[in-house]
Amino acid sequence: MTSTCSMQPCSPKRAVLASFDHAYALALRMRHETGRPQFVLRTGDPFQPFRVSSTGPQRRQALMTLVA
C-alpha cells in the first residue's frame, strides 16, 4: 500500500482510503458495475492523491493504470 501522508499528518483511515490500492479496488468494482474501462489517475493533491475516472487523464493528472 502506498501511504500519502508524508506531507501532512493524517489519520490511518485517510491513509488507507487515499491509497493506490483502494483506488485500484474501486476501479475494479466500477469496471464490473458499468462495463466501461476505468482509469486510476494520480492527481498531485495530497488529500486525494489518486482518483478513478471513466475518462483518461486531464491536465495535471498522470495515468497510473487502466482497468479494461
Side-chain angles (χ1 to χ4, degrees):
M1 175 172 42
T2 305
S3 177
T4 60
C5 296
S6 59
M7 295 168 59
Q8 302 254 349
C10 64
S11 71
K13 184 68 169 179
R14 177 179 286 279
V16 170
L17 293 174
S19 70
F20 172 81
D21 294 336
H22 188 264
Y24 183 73
L26 177 62
L28 289 173
R29 286 195 310 264
M30 289 177 68
R31 170 67 173 109
H32 179 73
E33 295 279 326
T34 66
R36 296 184 66 194
Q38 300 295 318
F39 297 86
V40 178
L41 307 170
R42 180 184 296 274
T43 67
D45 178 356
F47 290 105
Q48 185 188 19
F50 302 100
R51 87 180 186 87
V52 177
S53 175
S54 61
T55 61
Q58 303 298 314
R59 178 187 247 180
R60 304 179 98 151
Q61 295 177 341
L63 176 64
M64 298 302 292
T65 192
L66 169 63
V67 178

